Amino acid sequence: MLSDGTARDRTIAQARLRFLEDAELPAAIVPEGILNSWQRSKYLGIGTDEVVVPYQPDYDRESRLVRAATPVLDRLEQALAGSDACVIVTDRNGWVRDRRVGEERLSAHLDRVHLAPGFNYAEQFVGTNGIGVALEERRPNVVLGTEHFNERLQNVSCAAAPIRNPVTGRVEGAMNLTCWNGPARALMAALVQEAVDDVERVMYESSSAHQRALLEAFQQVTHYGDRPVLCLGQDLVLANTAASARLDGDDHRLLHEAAAELGHAPRARKEVRLTGGETVLMRCRQVDSPAGAAGYLLELAFTDRPCAQNPTGAGPRSREDRDATRPWPLPGLAGTHPAWNAVSRTVSRCARERTPLLIHGETGTGKSALVRAAHALTGAASAPVVVDAAAPGAAETGDDLSAALRAAPTGPGRALVLRNVDAVAPGQGPAVARALDAAATQGTWVVGTLHRAPGVPEPLRHCFLEAAAVPALRHRLTDLPALIDCLLRRVGAGVECAPEVLPLLRRHDWPGNVRQLGSVLSKAAAGRRTYRIELHDLPPSLHSTGGRSLSAWEASERDTLVQALLEADGNKLLAAQRLGISRTTIYRKMRAYGITLPVRR
């Protein structure tokens, strides 16, 4: 129902109904920004008669955005007391963080449509609304009455504008003013922009104080010496050359999380394992400013990479091993991440020098592929001989295992790989060790592989003079594009991925590592409907970010739901109709299983 009965509202309402019925709209009836939002909302399958939004009761009520907005909201609350208006602040993702309402009747209405702290009013959940459009288009906007996509919002009007960090320019959230439909709505845009300017001014004063404090602390520590130093603030990273050369963005995140755990402890120390497998000793202190905690100052001490440590404790690494900054290509493999470069160099050198080597890493990381590539790089004519200690019966019958090792061809230009070294029973270790020693004495390159280095049985530890750790795929996601290209070349010429596929693959943890990635790409390529792999060619499990283990029934339900959404091209209403369930159930199940489908623009 229209609250003010204006001719414009009636015209927009009629245009919206024609739009929902797929009828062509006469030009210039609906503002361009509103029409664009309607199209996005329709594509997303947003409901028109009910408000279904996610709820997040636990959030940071002392965030920098909330602190900066609070004095502005306090002032507006007094000015709006008794009026039919309210002011709302959301974060950059549309989560409502604070709300101040002038009258009880409006407050009750907003509660009914879930426009309250803890709920999300992003466009992808509610459709066209002031908050959602401001965050989606990164600009101020006004949504009047019937311009709302959802009918339950049409008796109010709202104006919203994004709140930007005045230093970085990044959108931090949105300020929204909502009131009943009426003549005063023309003044809303000016009022909300004034409020945004006030919040940004407070943020600037606060951010400037934080940055000055961090910069001063950084300069004091780096004035003398060249040890690695890192300063981490909310939106600021300062690093000297010694630190920046050995850290990336993911390392910054890990170090920031570790520093936050230490908190106010003076000169606290902690060891942190970085994304490439390297361990760093971090000495941390919190940096304070007149506006509060500014961030952390970290003094770092890097230790040798685990992938090049001698398992027997012998000697430091060579200069060549420490140089992991340049790519080290191996035939048939891909990747330039520093941790991958380091292990590639170590394995290549050991193959060239015939140094017995222990390689450890998670299943599917490419341990055997590294051995084959490094062995081929030496010019060897034969492939490595592989003996699996975990093969049926091998662990129980050590004589057969040692006999298989003794029977393997040996000599210069040969390689012998003992897989799953940790599966060798302690009682059978001496016989297996003698067989490996005999092979190494004859010039054979001896390699052992396992999942974890500490799992080597005592009798076998002396058989391997060096060790190398192969990083998990989730720790070198920067190599993902190169790995995808490499794996698809094995599938067949001309196969490629659509642009929207890579972001989805990046979000996955890949517990099966490169082997799992290869299997996914191979199956997707075999079942693709076009010349390239599209989103709907990927397995349903990749569209879910849920962290818990699912039962067989739950996994089946999730896969069915994802498949229906993909076939409906993301239209939740159509998917619900095809599955015979309500649209509300679709949203609830998507939240439960963490299903995320990229929106096509």
Side-chain angles (χ1 to χ4, degrees):
M1 177 181 295
L2 306 182
S3 60
D4 60 1
T6 65
R8 182 185 184 279
D9 284 337
R10 286 193 295 270
T11 301
I12 295 294
Q14 293 168 0
R16 174 181 165 278
L17 291 176
R18 295 186 62 185
F19 171 80
L20 294 175
E21 295 170 355
D22 295 323
E24 184 178 351
L25 295 180
I29 286 185
V30 181
E32 181 181 3
I34 297 298
L35 182 58
N36 290 338
S37 179
W38 282 1
Q39 291 171 339
R40 292 191 298 265
S41 303
K42 186 176 182 180
Y43 175 81
L44 289 168
I46 303 298
T48 60
D49 56 358
E50 58 181 342
V51 178
V52 180
V53 294
Y55 179 58
Q56 185 186 70
D58 299 324
Y59 57 89
D60 184 7
R61 290 169 171 79
E62 296 297 326
S63 68
R64 185 180 54 179
L65 173 65
V66 173
R67 290 199 305 270
T70 296
V72 180
L73 294 175
D74 290 343
R75 174 174 56 81
L76 289 174
E77 185 176 28
Q78 293 180 359
L80 298 175
S83 69
D84 61 346
C86 85
V87 62
I88 295 167
V89 168
T90 76
D91 67 13
R92 66 172 65 93
N93 296 314
W95 294 98
V96 179
R97 294 313 185 209
D98 202 345
R99 185 187 80 178
R100 308 295 176 87
V101 190
E103 65 164 13
E104 186 61 33
R105 188 168 67 95
L106 180 58
S107 178
H109 173 71
L110 297 180
D111 287 342
R112 286 193 295 270
V113 296
H114 307 308
L115 185 48
F119 290 94
N120 192 308
Y121 248 67
E123 190 181 70
Q124 69 185 86
F125 299 114
V126 190
T128 306
N129 75 95
I131 294 168
V133 176
L135 293 175
E136 184 70 24
E137 299 188 354
R138 300 294 197 263
R139 61 181 179 83
N141 74 95
V142 177
V143 179
L144 303 176
T146 52
E147 292 176 348
H148 286 91
F149 192 78
N150 193 299
E151 294 173 0
R152 297 193 62 189
L153 303 178
Q154 292 187 355
N155 51 1
V156 296
S157 294
C158 53
I163 302 171
R164 297 181 182 274
N165 185 309
V167 177
T168 66
R170 185 176 71 167
V171 172
E172 298 290 347
M175 177 75 74
N176 177 80
L177 184 66
T178 296
C179 65
W180 298 113
N181 291 336
R185 62 192 185 185
L187 303 175
M188 296 170 60
L191 181 58
V192 78
Q193 187 59 57
E194 180 182 351
V196 166
D197 293 341
D198 290 343
V199 174
E200 291 179 349
R201 188 177 304 110
V202 176
M203 293 180 68
Y204 176 77
E205 295 170 355
S206 173
S207 296
S208 297
H210 291 337
Q211 291 182 350
R212 285 195 299 269
L214 286 171
L215 183 60
E216 181 179 351
F218 179 76
Q219 291 174 335
Q220 288 177 351
V221 174
T222 56
H223 185 70
Y224 299 102
D226 57 355
R227 62 186 182 278
V229 177
L230 190 69
C231 250
L232 297 174
Q234 187 74 19
D235 293 298
L236 180 68
V237 175
L238 299 174
N240 62 357
T241 303
S244 61
R246 304 185 69 168
L247 300 172
D248 59 23
D250 289 336
D251 294 328
H252 296 162
R253 176 181 56 80
L254 291 175
L255 291 169
H256 193 281
E257 291 174 355
E261 291 177 2
L262 294 176
H264 294 275
R267 311 300 289 183
R269 295 172 180 262
K270 184 175 183 177
E271 282 195 348
V272 179
R273 187 175 179 84
L274 303 177
T275 55
E278 187 176 11
T279 301
V280 63
L281 178 63
M282 174 188 78
R283 187 167 67 172
C284 167
R285 72 176 174 87
Q286 181 170 296
V287 178
D288 295 318
S289 76
Y296 304 98
L297 176 69
L298 312 180
E299 298 177 60
L300 309 176
F302 290 89
T303 61
D304 284 345
R305 278 182 167 83
C307 59
Q309 289 177 347
N310 188 323
T312 62
R317 299 177 301 163
S318 67
R319 184 184 188 89
E320 180 187 35
D321 296 323
R322 292 195 300 269
D323 183 14
T325 59
R326 293 187 293 111
W328 188 259
L330 285 173
L333 303 181
T336 57
H337 189 279
W340 179 256
N341 287 339
V343 68
S344 298
R345 287 174 177 275
T346 300
V347 175
S348 299
R349 176 175 52 78
C350 289
R352 185 174 61 251
E353 298 174 357
R354 323 308 291 170
T355 303
L357 174 67
L358 179 69
I359 301 180
H360 54 94
E362 296 178 8
T363 301
T365 50
K367 300 184 290 292
S368 298
L370 270 171
V371 173
R372 289 194 300 269
H375 183 56
L377 200 61
T378 65
S382 59
V385 175
V386 180
V387 178
D388 193 347
E396 291 79 12
T397 57
D399 291 340
D400 290 346
L401 180 59
S402 60
L405 293 171
R406 290 194 301 270
T410 57
R414 300 282 186 176
L416 177 60
V417 180
L418 177 60
R419 293 184 60 189
N420 298 305
V421 174
D422 49 339
V424 178
Q428 310 302 335
V432 173
R434 287 192 295 270
L436 293 176
D437 289 341
T441 301
Q442 297 176 33
T444 305
W445 183 34
V446 174
V447 180
T449 69
L450 76 167
H451 300 319
R452 297 180 183 85
V456 181
E458 182 62 38
L460 298 178
R461 292 185 180 177
H462 75 277
C463 298
F464 307 104
L465 300 182
E466 290 204 37
V470 184
L473 177 55
R474 63 183 176 276
H475 292 155
R476 60 180 189 112
L477 288 178
T478 52
D479 286 342
L480 200 57
L483 282 169
I484 291 172
D485 291 341
C486 179
L487 294 169
L488 287 180
R489 282 196 297 271
R490 301 177 188 176
V491 173
V495 182
E496 61 182 52
C497 285
E500 60 267 22
V501 168
L502 182 59
L504 184 66
L505 297 180
R506 285 187 186 278
R507 291 201 297 267
H508 196 55
D509 286 338
W510 300 109
N513 295 292
V514 179
R515 182 184 303 167
Q516 181 188 8
L517 174 63
S519 176
V520 166
L521 292 175
S522 179
K523 292 178 181 178
R528 71 188 191 280
R529 308 170 195 175
T530 65
Y531 70 96
R532 63 184 186 180
I533 297 175
E534 305 280 355
L535 287 174
H536 53 253
D537 298 319
L538 299 175
S541 58
L542 289 185
H543 295 277
S544 172
T545 59
R548 65 184 182 88
S549 299
L550 302 180
S551 66
W553 183 88
E554 289 175 320
S556 176
E557 182 182 51
R558 176 204 61 196
D559 293 353
T560 301
L561 181 58
V562 169
Q563 194 61 41
L565 287 165
L566 290 173
E567 291 175 356
D569 205 21
N571 188 314
K572 300 174 185 63
L573 177 60
L574 181 58
Q577 291 172 345
R578 291 177 176 177
L579 292 173
I581 59 179
S582 69
R583 189 168 53 250
T584 303
T585 301
I586 282 275
Y587 281 104
R588 180 168 55 82
K589 292 293 184 181
M590 289 182 68
R591 291 194 294 270
Y593 292 129
I595 296 173
T596 56
L597 296 177
V599 178
R600 296 179 184 175
R601 302 292 171 83

